[in-house]
Amino acid sequence: PPRPPPSPPPPFPPPSPPPPSPPPSPPPPSPPPLPPPYPPNAPPPPPPPPPLAQNTVSCIALQQEFPGSWPIDQNLLVCAEGSAGLGPGGTSDCPSKASHSTAEATCKDIGTRLCTRRELFAGVGIGAGGCKHDKTELWTVDGCPGGAHFVQLGAPRGLSGAEDESTPHCRNDTKEFPFICCAKVLESPPPSPPPSPPPP
């Protein structure tokens, strides 16, 4: 007898549906805003103090121009003077009391500067120029708040052992005080910047 036809192959199962996509991740939270550098209603902070003035003439040059003056303190390598070159018209007279700006300009005219508190406290101005400033408050280059600068005894360690007399005081720049000038031991003035190259 004839053989029965073969059975048809079983149907393939339908493909499985793709898995659902995961939900998108939420965006990361924004960082909190930075706090202001100072409270909103507070005034901005004051600018940084300017650098201390520097002399442009060496102590050796000053000694050559004014023989017998501008002695050098070998510990601080600073010279100080109270009269040589500081009088009217550059004469060697003790200058009068002056405001801070006038005292500063007088020192600057001969390439020097006012002394620092540290220099005066170390005694660089003892007997400076014979102007009898050892027990007198002198202007310094060191500023303090409110448009003022410190004054310091001319010889707080040399002739005064009292701590309160050695403490500098803050004085308004319009007040008039005596002063002496100081300079660092420099071999030569600071070099000038090189000239700019010509345009192409």
Side-chain angles (χ1 to χ4, degrees):
R3 302 171 79 180
S7 300
F12 289 103
S16 301
S21 301
S25 302
S30 300
L34 295 175
Y38 46 85
N41 297 328
L52 295 180
Q54 299 295 320
N55 55 287
T56 57
V57 176
S58 72
C59 292
I60 303 302
L62 291 166
Q63 290 177 339
Q64 292 173 347
E65 184 175 358
F66 305 101
S69 62
W70 294 96
I72 296 174
D73 182 289
Q74 297 297 331
N75 292 323
L76 296 181
L77 295 180
V78 168
C79 56
E81 180 57 48
S83 60
L86 305 179
T91 58
S92 293
D93 295 324
C94 299
S96 304
K97 293 181 179 180
S99 65
H100 188 272
S101 60
T102 299
E104 195 171 46
T106 302
C107 294
K108 188 177 180 180
D109 283 345
I110 59 171
T112 64
R113 56 170 173 78
L114 291 172
C115 303
T116 67
R117 292 161 52 190
R118 176 173 177 261
E119 290 164 348
L120 291 180
F121 188 77
V124 300
I126 294 176
C131 296
K132 299 181 180 180
H133 289 329
D134 291 348
K135 293 187 177 182
T136 304
E137 288 185 322
L138 305 175
W139 279 125
T140 73
V141 73
D142 297 290
C144 47
H149 283 78
F150 284 105
V151 292
Q152 170 82 58
L153 286 182
R157 291 179 60 186
L159 299 178
S160 172
E163 179 63 27
D164 57 345
E165 293 180 359
S166 300
T167 303
H169 301 96
C170 195
R171 297 288 185 257
N172 189 281
D173 286 355
T174 58
K175 300 289 185 180
E176 294 188 344
F177 286 92
F179 62 96
I180 65 176
C181 300
C182 281
K184 294 287 284 185
V185 177
L186 299 174
E187 291 302 323
S188 60
S192 300
S196 301

